[in-house]
Structure formats: C-alpha cells, structure tokens
Amino acid sequence: MLRTPTMNANQAGVLVLRWCRARPVTLLITAAIVVLSLTGFILTPSGWGWQVLNAEEPGVVFQRHWWGTVTSLFAVADIAALIAIVPVLLIVLGAAEKTMGSIRTLVAYVVGGVAASFLGLGVGVVEDRYLGFLPLNTPAVDTLSPLAAVICTAMAASSFAGALWRRRTRLLASLTAVTLFLYEGAANDLFSILALPIGLGLGFALGGRRSGFRIVRSSHHETRVLLAALTFVTSVGPVIATFSETGAGLLSIYGFLSDDPVTLIDGQTCAYGSTAAPCPDTYDVFRELQPASGFIALLPILVAVLAAWGILKGRRAALWIAVVFNGIVFAGMLYVFSVIQPETVAAIAQLRDTESQQYVAQTLSSSLIGALVPLIVAIVLVVFRRDVRASSTPAALRTFGVTVGVAAAANLLLAFVGGLAAADGYTPNLDVGKVLVGLPLRLLPPTLLPSDILTFVPSSGWAQAFWYLPPLLFWLAAAIATARLVLDPGTVSGASDRSRARLTLERGGGDTLSFMTTWEGNAYWFSPDIDAAIAYRVHGSVALTLGGAFGPDARRPEVVTGFVEFCGDNGWTPVFYSVEEGDDSPYAHLGWQRMPVAEEALLDPATWNTAGKKRQDIRTATNRAAREGVTATWTSWHDLTIAEHAQIREISEAWVADKSLPEMEFTLGGVDQLNDPAVRLMLARNEEGRIQAVTSWLPLFDGGAVRGYTLDFMRRRADSMNGIMEFVIGAAADHMKAEGLERLSLSGSPLASRPGDDGERAAITRVLDRFGELLEPAYGFRSLLNFKRKFQPEFVTLWAVYPEATVLPALAVALARSYLPHLTLAQAARMAGTLREPREAVSAK
C-alpha cells in the first residue's frame, strides 16, 4: 500500500503560508473585525462603536449615520462573540474565496451584508406596523451582524460549487439562519435570514451556476445526512431558545428548558397559575426551588440527538425513535395550545389594552406553529424512511423496550411510594387519589411541566427528592438504552450472520462477486454439513442469489442442492444469478435452464502491460497524467482524512445528481461500501493533492489471503482530464502486478451481455437486453462494457440459472426490485417514457 509521508513542521508552514496567500480577502476581513471590535466595543466601551449603535432607542433607525450599515459588518459587541466569529470567518470566507475568487468574495460580503442590513431595517418597520400579532424577532435596530454577511457570502459561493457542496452549503446556511430566526429571534437573525436570497442572487449575478428549480437527486447517504441535520436542528432548537433570552422568535415558546414552574416565595413553595398551589401576588423573596432542574430537560434532547446520529448511520430504529419523540412533542404542544393557552389568553385578554391583545395573538400563533414543527419533522422522516434501512435485531429491540419499560415502571413506582411516604411534605398534602392522578407527569422533566396543571408541589427535602429523581433516572435510562440501540454495531439485524459470512468468505472460495455478499441487504444460508454459504435476497416468491456459493467448499454440488432444498422448505423458487457456468459447474446436475445476464472482464496481472496498438488509450492516458502532474495512490478509506472523504462524496454526489433514477444496488456499490478495511481505493490526484477520480477494489480471498481484486466503484470529476479512468485502472493493474496477485476483474456489466444469435436466445434474454437499453441513458451499462474493452480483457459470460420458464416474469420483477428497491411509480413512468429514445438511437446507427 502506498502511504502518504508524515508532514513535518516545514511542510505544515508552507501549507499555511500557501493558504494565507490564496485568501487575502479572508484575512483582511477577519483582521478588520478583530481590530474594530476591540477598539470600538470591547476594550473601549466609550469609543466610536457606541456612536454608531444605540439599541435602546428605536428612533436610531432613522437617525443613524449612513456608514453604520457598512461598519456594522466589521465588528461584534463582546469578546465571546469575537472568539466565536473568527473561526467561522476563516472557514467560510476561506472556502468561498477558494471557490469563487477574492474579488467576488469581497463583493458578496460587503454588498450582500449592506443589502441585508438595509432590507432588514425596512422589514423591521413593516413588522412593527403590520405584523405585531406574530412573535418574529426583536426590533430591527441592531445591525452589528457579521454573521449575515458571512451567510450571504456562503450562499453566493454555493453557485460556484459542485452539486454536493452547493446543496450542503445552502442547506447548512439555511438551517443556521432559519433555526436562529425561529428559536432566538434576535434582530441579527432577521438580517441573516434575509441574507439567504440576497446571497443566492449575488451568486448568479457574479457569474455562478444557475441550477434551476429541479429536484436534485441525492444518494442514500446524502439523504440520511439531510434527515439527520433536520432532526438535530429541531432537537437543539429549544436549547437555543432557552439561552437566547430574547423570547421573540416564532418558536421561542420552546425556551422553557431552564424554568422550573415550582418556585420558592417567602419560604413557601408554589406554582404560578396553579389553582391548587397558587403563588401570592406580592412577595419579598422569589427564587426557583431547584435552579439546576433544567439539566434534566437536556436528557430528552440527548435522546433526540442520539437518534439523529443513528439516522446518519442508517439505523431504522433511530428514525422511529425520532418520529416518536417528535410525535410526543407535537401532542404536548397541541395540549398546551388547546387546553392551557386558552385560559391564559382569556386571563390576559381581560386587561383589554393594545399591548395585552398583541401578546395574546403572539402567544396563540407561537403555540400553533410550535405544535406544527415537530409534526412536519415526523412526516418528513416517515416519507424518507426508505433511505434509512439498517434494521435492528429483535433481541436489541426487546432489550430497548424492556429497558425503557422497566425504567418507566420503576420510576413511577418510586414516585408513587415516595408521594405517599412524604405526603406531608407536599403543598397541599397528598392522598392516594392525588398521587395516582399526577403519576404520569412524574416522568416528564420538571421544567417541561405547565404550572397551570400542577395540583401539588414539593415542599420538604424528601418530597423534592421524589419529585426530581424519577424523571432524572428515567431519562438517563432512556438515553443509555437509545445509545446502545443506535450506536452498537452488533444490534443491526443480520450483523451476526454477516460476520459469520465474512469469516466463511475469508477462508477462501467464491467468485469475483463474493465480497458483495458482505453488504447490507443480503440474507444468508449456511450449509449445515460443509464449509460454504450463499447470499440471497427474496422478492415475491423468488430467492435471488448474489453470485454463487462462497467458502472453501463452494464448488461442491451439495451446496447448491442444499440451498435448493432450503428454498423449497420456505416456498421460494431459487435463482442463481451472475454465476459462472464452466465444465465443472456445480449447477449442471440440476438440469436447469440458463440465460446470460452480464459480461465479466478479466485481466491477468502477471501478463499485464500497455504495449500494443489495442491498449494505446491506456498509454496515452498514462503519459498525459505524467505531463499534468496527476498521480495515483493505492490506499483505503480508513487511511484518508475527513477532507478527502468529503472530496470523494462530492464526486459521487455530483454523479448521482445527474441521474434521472436513483442509485442502483445489489451488485453495484456506492460510497457506503467504501468504508471497509479490506476494500482498497485507487485515487487520482492533481498537483494540489485534490482528488480527481476514485475507484474501489473488492478483495478475492483464497485460504485467508487476498489473491486478487474486483473493480466496483468508479467516479470522476466532471472537469478532470480526459482518460483519467483509463489511467487509474491501469495504475491499479500495475500495482497488482507488482504485488504478484493472480486475478484482476473489471467486474461484470449488468444488463449488458454481448449479443449472440437471436435464434439461440430466449425471449426473456431479449427483454432484459431491452431493459438494459432502457437504462442506458441513465446508467450507461453498455458504454461501460465498451470502455472495458480498451483493456483487452478476457470476457466471461455470467448466467442466471433457473428451474423453468414459468419463473421468468417473477425473476424480472425480482431483478428490478434488487437493483432498484425504492423505485417509485413516478420514476418508473419517467423511465418508461424513455423507451423510444434508445430505439431511435439504434435506428440512427
């Protein structure tokens, strides 16, 4: 394996110097903000800064100096904000300057920031006059907001980025601005959300790519990233609302995490709004009973954050935990809106002054929107659940359910017994009826309890212990159970079988597709008598194998016979898919029919070379790579940096985004399959070290050792040099020859078998060929087959072996569901609409 040498201090210094030279505008803006913030606000409170900004006077909107909208983009008001904004500036502006150049970055920052400030002031006036019934944000007076200019610059730069980072940048910027606006609602947050369309328009005006309004397809991994981001943002939003202290956002109603409804007034415990334990109207000493109780409310948020991480990792259980969590929040908010708020609103409305009526409208609208957000999140998660597919084992689900159930029962029992034992320590005193009625509320974090519904509050030390301990212990148990369920690799359904299959595979045997059997989505049959196994997928009544058997005894006919009997016991019809049919075929004794389904291209590493006219394209590509400074690196996913992972994902997402159909699966891997220590990568890098193309190579085992590799994943940048894939594959062949490996497979080209005599071909074969033609515009299987011919390989036909012709319709459906398991009716209709295009193309030839 080729390893990148360790970077020394001099090399690191050179890289830092090169980074700084390439980003003068980033350094200039950052330095200006540091200097102006320190001199104008932080170190000299009486300096120039306070002459520009006076948030205490609403009239300053019309009295401020014109240059305030510019200088406000280059300062922050306190040291904490300065420490937070500097790394954001270096990362975001640095990336933007690299993407679209220094001049565009400066224009986007200054022009976009000023436009957001002016527009924000105007919107603020409109809000104050016409939208007072909505709790949108604090008065738009404070324009000290570098963040708005940063967001504007990021949005402008996204128009110059590739498909992956264009989508991610816009998503991250939008989520940041919208989250702060909804949950915090400061004036700066209004400017930030206005910076989104301004930055997007500036990006187009500066020459960026207009991607249009079409829906860009994402890979399964990228969809999980988006779902996880949505879950995470809406989970931590209440924390932002709690600590923002503005109380002005549409979702600022969630800012209740730290407010304990039970208070201590003049030595007496009470709850405002409670009719059973009311608080006096006048008091001398007021404080919360337990100021630290707000930390208990962070535990449910921890559960939701763990669920977001699980969604990112593809755990279906994590998705349903997030759905249930948002459903509970929706039910709670709906209860607040429909039961509690009307009474509060009615009480305030009796005051009959304009300010009170406005507060009533804001309270109702905030409650309604606060109830709709978790409902929308839950619906989105359910709609896109198919992209989160790793199911959990029944044992893991039972353990999770038992843990949560026992924790709930135990802590309810603790609250019940404690309530009776310390009945005199509550206000008012308790009896069995009151304890039972209030028992379900004991599992809620105390700060989430509406004070209006409290019928008793704890007074004594023991009563407080039985009040605060049950929710603390329950949510601790729930968080631990969630972490075990969604983070432990052993809880994934089929993990033990997959591990057993991996060990069987590594002991030897199998064909060039055998490593694909270790991917998720396969089921396994293990021979009870001999050392072999078969991976398969069941669709309808067909059990479709992924290649042939694997293991030391894979070629024995008894393995095939055993699997056929196993399928018969389960009422399935077995079909052996993409298998070789030689003289020693283990399927011959079955006497079944067969049809070609793919052409596998094989090379002998020992005799590999690029001599001869027929491999001229490979030599040309290799020579061009040498001239342009493009180099090849043999490595693995785990040896790459996070930045390099991001580059590979960007290349892959750009490829997926251009397809009219979703990613294919089964015998075709994606980015998710690269994360395996046994999978090798051959990368092409330019002189700057930027990845231009990537291929993945699946190992072929023999007796515990690797004897060759099979090509799987192939992606390249759209702007990479011509012939870069020929160069990368040729470099991989050179490497395998140097390592003395025995076999190199360029893999099969599914649905792209070589045509033969039509008289000898079954009707279903012609149907599959037609299906291959149909998919050609989207996936290019025939083009791939022609590409592989440049290497002058030996082509070996891969076959589907099936019992009789009556199974062919069901087989066609099983193949479609295996390669495109999530194909929707709309996508199928679009695919069918292209039927004429291949036929016309063929006729034209």
Side-chain angles (χ1 to χ4, degrees):
M1 179 184 66
L2 302 178
R3 296 295 295 263
T4 302
T6 304
M7 184 182 297
N8 55 39
N10 291 334
Q11 291 173 321
V14 170
L15 289 178
V16 171
L17 183 60
R18 183 184 299 174
W19 188 95
C20 294
R21 287 176 176 173
R23 295 164 176 82
V25 169
T26 299
L27 297 178
L28 178 64
I29 292 175
T30 303
I33 288 177
V34 171
V35 172
L36 295 178
S37 297
L38 292 175
T39 59
F41 290 93
I42 298 173
L43 299 182
T44 56
S46 59
W48 63 268
W50 296 117
Q51 297 172 9
V52 178
L53 172 67
N54 185 357
E56 299 298 326
E57 296 291 339
V60 77
V61 174
F62 305 101
Q63 300 172 5
R64 61 185 303 120
H65 298 289
W66 65 267
W67 42 266
T69 55
V70 179
T71 56
S72 64
L73 305 178
F74 296 93
V76 293
D78 57 71
I79 191 66
L82 183 62
I83 293 174
I85 198 67
V86 166
V88 173
L89 291 168
L90 295 176
I91 294 172
V92 177
L93 297 188
E97 192 167 359
K98 179 183 178 181
T99 303
M100 63 177 178
S102 300
I103 300 300
R104 290 189 179 98
T105 301
L106 183 61
V107 170
Y109 188 90
V110 176
V111 175
V114 170
S117 296
F118 272 114
L119 186 59
L121 294 174
V123 171
V125 173
V126 174
E127 287 180 354
D128 184 60
R129 293 183 178 179
Y130 304 107
L131 298 176
F133 61 92
L134 289 176
L136 293 173
N137 50 263
T138 54
V141 174
D142 180 2
T143 57
L144 202 66
S145 180
L147 183 60
V150 171
I151 289 176
C152 187
T153 306
M155 291 295 291
S158 70
S159 298
F160 296 84
L164 175 64
W165 286 108
R166 181 167 62 248
R167 180 168 59 238
R168 284 188 172 180
T169 300
R170 292 173 181 177
L171 173 73
L172 182 60
S174 300
L175 284 178
T176 300
V178 172
T179 300
L180 292 175
F181 179 75
L182 292 178
Y183 289 98
E184 183 177 27
N188 292 347
D189 303 325
L190 171 63
F191 306 139
S192 295
I193 203 168
L194 293 174
L196 295 172
I198 292 174
L200 196 61
L202 273 176
F204 297 155
L206 293 172
R209 180 184 305 146
R210 286 179 169 84
S211 56
F213 294 96
R214 69 184 182 92
I215 297 177
V216 179
R217 182 166 303 284
S218 299
S219 66
H220 299 304
H221 177 273
E222 189 65 12
T223 302
R224 293 198 302 269
V225 170
L226 304 182
L227 293 178
L230 177 65
T231 304
F232 176 80
V233 166
T234 53
S235 299
V236 301
V239 179
I240 297 174
T242 297
F243 292 100
S244 69
E245 298 181 353
T246 63
L250 276 170
L251 299 182
S252 60
I253 191 172
Y254 283 103
F256 44 53
L257 297 185
S258 63
D259 297 329
D260 193 338
V262 183
T263 57
L264 190 64
I265 295 181
D266 295 336
Q268 178 183 355
T269 56
C270 61
Y272 270 106
S274 171
T275 58
C279 291
D281 296 331
T282 59
Y283 55 86
D284 295 325
V285 180
F286 170 90
R287 67 180 179 87
E288 293 182 7
L289 184 62
Q290 291 292 340
S293 61
F295 287 102
I296 301 177
L298 294 178
L299 293 175
I301 293 177
L302 176 60
V303 171
V305 170
L306 288 170
W309 180 258
I311 291 172
L312 180 63
K313 295 302 180 181
R315 300 297 188 88
R316 179 66 65 89
L319 181 138
W320 288 117
I321 289 173
V323 169
V324 172
F325 178 86
N326 280 280
I328 292 174
V329 175
F330 167 69
M333 295 302 298
L334 195 62
Y335 176 80
V336 169
F337 177 77
S338 60
V339 177
I340 298 175
Q341 293 292 28
E343 298 179 0
T344 305
V345 168
I348 298 175
Q350 292 179 356
L351 300 176
R352 298 187 181 281
D353 59 88
T354 304
E355 184 177 348
S356 298
Q357 292 175 354
Q358 181 172 317
Y359 179 79
V360 168
Q362 291 180 349
T363 301
L364 286 175
S365 59
S366 181
S367 300
L368 179 60
I369 296 172
L372 291 177
V373 167
L375 177 62
I376 294 172
V377 172
I379 292 174
V380 170
L381 292 174
V382 172
V383 169
F384 292 97
R385 67 189 182 279
R386 290 181 176 179
D387 291 285
V388 186
R389 296 174 291 179
S391 57
S392 300
T393 63
L397 294 175
R398 283 196 300 271
T399 300
F400 174 79
V402 169
T403 301
V404 174
V406 169
N411 284 288
L412 286 175
L413 180 62
L414 175 64
F416 178 75
V417 173
L420 294 181
D424 295 339
Y426 290 89
T427 303
N429 295 343
L430 296 185
D431 54 34
V432 175
K434 289 182 180 179
V435 173
L436 288 175
V437 170
L439 200 57
L441 299 178
R442 300 284 69 77
L443 295 184
L444 287 177
T447 55
L448 304 187
L449 293 172
S451 59
D452 308 55
I453 64 174
L454 295 181
T455 57
F456 55 89
V457 294
S459 300
S460 68
W462 279 109
Q464 292 179 41
F466 293 124
W467 180 271
Y468 293 104
L469 275 179
L472 172 64
L473 297 177
F474 170 73
W475 285 105
L476 274 175
I480 294 172
T482 302
R484 290 183 59 186
L485 179 64
V486 304
L487 302 182
D488 185 1
T491 61
V492 178
S493 181
S496 59
D497 282 350
R498 191 172 298 110
S499 298
R500 182 182 173 186
R502 180 67 171 263
L503 294 175
T504 303
L505 174 65
E506 291 177 352
R507 288 196 292 270
D511 50 38
T512 53
L513 302 183
S514 290
F515 193 82
M516 298 177 184
T517 62
T518 64
W519 297 347
E520 292 184 3
N522 296 313
Y524 303 94
W525 171 82
F526 299 94
S527 175
D529 304 318
I530 52 182
D531 194 4
I534 291 178
Y536 65 94
R537 300 187 181 196
V538 177
H539 294 286
S541 61
V542 174
L544 190 68
T545 72
L546 200 169
F550 55 91
D553 300 324
R555 300 296 296 177
R556 293 176 59 174
E558 299 95 313
V559 178
V560 174
T561 302
F563 180 72
V564 171
E565 293 175 351
F566 164 75
C567 291
D569 293 340
N570 287 276
W572 303 327
T573 301
V575 176
F576 297 92
Y577 181 75
S578 285
V579 298
E580 297 180 15
E581 272 276 73
D583 295 334
D584 60 343
S585 170
Y587 315 100
H589 71 285
L590 295 176
W592 287 5
Q593 301 180 42
R594 68 177 189 173
M595 65 178 177
V597 293
E599 294 294 325
E600 182 178 20
L602 298 175
L603 294 173
D604 182 4
T607 61
W608 162 258
N609 62 74
T610 58
K613 183 178 180 180
K614 292 183 178 181
R615 288 176 177 166
Q616 176 65 41
D617 290 343
I618 289 83
R619 290 200 308 276
T620 301
T622 302
N623 294 334
R624 181 173 182 177
R627 292 194 304 269
E628 297 188 8
V630 177
T631 57
T633 304
W634 183 259
T635 183
S636 70
W637 184 264
H638 292 270
D639 291 327
L640 300 177
T641 64
I642 295 177
E644 290 169 328
H645 291 169
Q647 291 184 53
I648 293 175
R649 295 192 191 281
E650 178 184 4
I651 294 171
S652 180
E653 287 299 321
W655 183 87
V656 174
D658 290 335
K659 304 302 173 187
S660 58
L661 295 174
E663 281 186 295
M664 297 191 81
E665 303 178 25
F666 197 36
T667 61
L668 300 169
V671 175
D672 288 342
Q673 283 69 46
L674 305 183
N675 188 13
D676 189 304
V679 175
R680 313 307 295 173
L681 305 178
M682 182 61 85
L683 310 177
R685 304 175 189 268
N686 62 13
E687 291 181 310
E688 290 76 29
R690 189 166 182 251
I691 298 174
Q692 300 295 298
V694 55
T695 57
S696 72
W697 299 85
L698 312 180
L700 306 173
F701 293 102
D702 185 11
V706 176
R707 63 185 178 92
Y709 286 94
T710 298
L711 174 64
D712 176 40
F713 184 86
M714 296 173 59
R715 299 285 191 272
R716 55 166 287 178
R717 288 191 187 276
D719 59 351
S720 61
M721 75 171 199
N722 291 332
I724 196 166
M725 295 311 304
E726 290 90 335
F727 163 68
V728 172
I729 295 176
D734 291 337
H735 175 80
M736 295 180 203
K737 180 177 182 178
E739 292 291 316
L741 298 177
E742 302 173 8
R743 195 172 189 185
L744 189 162
S745 171
L746 299 182
S747 192
S749 299
L751 305 175
S753 59
R754 290 179 296 172
D757 182 7
D758 282 351
E760 299 177 355
R761 302 171 71 203
I764 187 64
T765 305
R766 293 192 294 272
V767 171
L768 289 178
D769 284 346
R770 187 70 185 120
F771 188 54
E773 291 180 12
L774 179 64
L775 295 179
E776 180 65 19
Y779 297 106
F781 293 132
R782 282 164 169 71
S783 301
L784 178 61
L785 181 63
N786 292 329
F787 167 80
K788 292 177 181 179
R789 289 195 174 100
K790 295 181 180 182
F791 297 88
Q792 294 302 301
E794 173 192 358
F795 282 102
V796 176
T797 301
L798 299 179
W799 304 84
V801 180
Y802 56 96
E804 56 185 1
T806 56
V807 78
L808 292 178
L811 171 58
V813 174
L815 282 172
R817 300 311 300 172
S818 294
Y819 278 109
L820 294 167
H822 306 306
L823 183 68
T824 65
L825 289 176
Q827 292 165 346
R830 287 197 300 269
M831 182 177 68
T834 65
L835 273 171
R836 181 173 298 179
E837 178 182 348
R839 184 181 298 114
E840 292 175 347
V842 172
S843 301
K845 295 178 181 178

